[in-house]
Structure formats: C-alpha cells, structure tokens
Amino acid sequence: MGALRAQVRARHPAAIVDEAQDTDPVQWAIFDALYPADDPSGTLVVVGDPKQSIYAFRGADVASYLQAGEGADRRTLTVNYRSEQPVLDALNVLMQGATFGGGIAYQPVEACADKRRGTLPPGVPVVELTVAGVPDAPADVTGPDAEADPVSVPDPMAAAAAAHVHRALTAGRRRPEDVAVLVGTRREGAMVAEALRALGIACTTAGTSSVAREEAARQLRALLRGLVRPGDGAVVRLVATGWFGDRDWAALPNLADDDLLTTQEQLRELAPRVRRLGIASVLRDLAGRAPVLARVAGAGSLARHLTDLDHLAELLHERTGRRGCTPDQALAALLELERMDEKAELVTRRLDTDAKVVQVMTIHVAKGLEFPVVVVARKWGAMATDRDAPVVRRPEDHAPVLDGGWLVKPLAPGVAVAERRAWFEEQTRLLYVALT
C-alpha cells in the first residue's frame, strides 16, 4: 500500500471528493489510506452537504461522512447562487431549527446579489403547503383540456398535485415544460401521472421505473430475439407487428408465413451489421428511419420512447464491450438489465428533456435539477416492513450494528427504535432535497 500511496500522491498531491455525503465506509477507508490526516504532504478536500444524503438504498452512509469530518478544517457556504431570495426566505422560516439526524442542522442561506429580488408578481406565493386529506382542486375545471374533475381521481395526494399543476398552467404564467412534480416512489408517480392526464395535462415520467421494463425494452427484446431466430415464425410475427416491422398489430392472427418474408430478410441483413458495428449503431440507425418513427409515435410519446431507446442502446453498447457483438450477446445483456432492481441507478428511467410536457420524477432523480415550478407530491407515511437486514449505527461511536435475530424473531427493541430513527432522519433529508 505504501508504494501505491506514493505513486498516487506523486501524481495527485491534492484530491477533491465531491458529493461526499453519498460515500460509504469502504470508500472512506481508501481516502484515509491515500491521504491520511496526519500527513501534511497531501491534501484531501471534501465537498458535501449531509442534509442531501438520500441514497442509503445504494449503500451511502451519512454517518461515515460525519465521522470523517470530525476534527477537519471546515468551511460553510452561506450564499445560494441558484434560488431567488423570496424562495430562500420561505425555506429559512420553514426549516428554522430543523435537524436531519446525526447532529445535522439547517443552515440559513441568502441569495447572491443578482437574485435578491423575486420574479413572481406581487401577491403570488413562492411556497405553498397543502395537506392532501381532501383534494384541493378547482371546482370549475372545464373546457377541452379537462377530461375529468380532479375530485374524481381516487388518490387525494395525486389529485391535489394535479390541481396545483392545472392552476399554474391555466393562469397563463407557465408552460408544461416549466413544471416538475416530485414523487417518492414508482406507485406515486403513476398515480400523479394518471391524475394529470385526467385533466388533459400531458406528462412524462423519469426515475419512477426501470427503462429495462418499459415498452421500448419489450420492443427491443422482440427485435433481438428475431435477430437470433429469424426462422421462428412466432418470434418474427412480434417483430413484424412492432416498432421495427411493417405490419399492423391487428393483423397478427391472420399473418401467413409468406407475409413475414420482408421482415425475415431485414432481420438477416441486420444481424451482420450488429456483429460488425455494434447494437447501439444499428439501433440508432433504425430509430432515425421515418417508418419506425411513425410506429413509435403511434405508441404514445415519441420523445419519451426515443429517450428510452437511446438509453437502452447506450447500456447495451457498454455491456457488449463497446464493439460489434452477436445478437445473442446483446439479448443476454438486455435480459440482465431487466433483472436489475428498478431502483438501480444504471436502469433508472432518464428525464425526457426534449418533451414539452410536465415532468414527473422521483426526488432522487430530481436532485440537482432546476424548474420554475416544482410540486412535491409525496406520501410521508409509515416505514416499509419488507426491508433488508437492519444495520444501524451506535450513537456513541457510529459503529455499524447488525441485528442477526431479525430472521427468526422481531427486531430487538433497541434496534427497532434505531432503525425507525434512521428511516425518519432520511425522510427529513428527502424533504429537504425536494424543497430545495
């Protein structure tokens, strides 16, 4: 380790760790080994905000960050260069005295000089809080853009969020692409999207599902299976009636083998190109063809589906060695992506930035983004019960503790309390990220 440390330090006498609140104990062990605190010949600069530590499900451990910062020379930023002063004034009042676990406290901030004045008209609130026990919806939602009153939407939280969006759009101050609705889970995102569409408001989602489980992935899977088995009539029929074919879906039951000849010829021509150029090149060529674009557009949002296809092409390109591959290899890579947890960052559905519609996304995906109007539609309910083995931190020394008895009996009382506390603290940090 000494030789490695010397080589790293000779090349990089100083290092910066950004977003350090999302690190884990193993990463800190590496940082400490390369840049020990008692060695002045190297400098480690750590940039992070523990109030934004919201990735515990990916292994991030805010306690490790706090422990690493003990005794360090600290600098605190008190000027916000992104938000206007009226927004910060509201958040400073709302968050006054708030804590986020582990001694993490809210730090009031002020806007930079060119954002001291707000841009909203006088009397328009910059922050609104709604308790969605009863839908907060306009009683006169009518006209061609409103297919249903929000009160008829079953979920009160989703109805209230859709009503807020509707007011922002009908007031004439905002375009759909100016608005983002932040949710906590895929289910919440689906409910909000349904409520928005019930009001005739077009929307798209990001971060609420895995791209490998969306329609683009199903169409791609059918294409790759067709490339692998171009002589299989059942497989080719799915290609022929899908995005990359030339037959109507309604004609599927009546398609004869002779009707599939054109599709089979195309598949046989594409397979060598995949081997020579790679799956990403072939997919992007197909996605740019007018007949394919027309069929994709007929399946819903063209921009949304093309974003998913491009995402999948990029993932398959990486997982097939960034070079030509066999259709079998590309199919195996896609199936592997489908098996991943939908929360995995690699397959989290990307934001469709080109769509002129309302964006519905999870708080985790929205972190760091900016929108003129943000609606936080989150059910701040009870802790999930289907969690993994509980690992909590001892308050006195932040040491991780695993309750091994959780498999055969309820959690030990102390562990249960600690786990609930850790869960609640992360919920407060999620709220902070959503509000900022």
Side-chain angles (χ1 to χ4, degrees), residues 22 55 57-58 207 209-211 311 315 340-350 364-365:
D22 297 326
Y55 294 103
F57 67 91
R58 294 181 187 163
S209 61
S210 166
V211 69
H311 187 183
L315 292 175
M340 285 187 178
D341 189 314
E342 65 183 22
K343 290 184 179 180
E345 184 175 10
L346 190 68
V347 294
T348 295
R349 209 175 188 195
R350 289 176 177 170
H364 293 91
V365 168

Side-chain angles (χ1 to χ4, degrees), residues 80-81 83-84 111-117:
N80 185 309
Y81 290 86
S83 302
E84 297 176 349
C112 60
D114 60 347
K115 291 184 178 288
R116 294 288 172 82
R117 297 172 61 88

Side-chain angles (χ1 to χ4, degrees), residues 34-54:
L34 294 176
Y35 297 91
D38 57 357
D39 186 346
S41 65
T43 302
L44 181 67
V45 178
V46 175
V47 182
D49 181 359
K51 299 187 298 299
Q52 297 187 45
S53 181
I54 59 173

Side-chain angles (χ1 to χ4, degrees), residues 177-199:
E177 61 267 31
D178 292 334
V179 182
V181 183
L182 310 189
V183 298
T185 65
R186 176 180 181 177
R187 175 176 169 77
E188 289 173 356
M191 290 190 297
V192 168
E194 180 182 357
L196 288 169
R197 290 168 184 145
L199 293 179

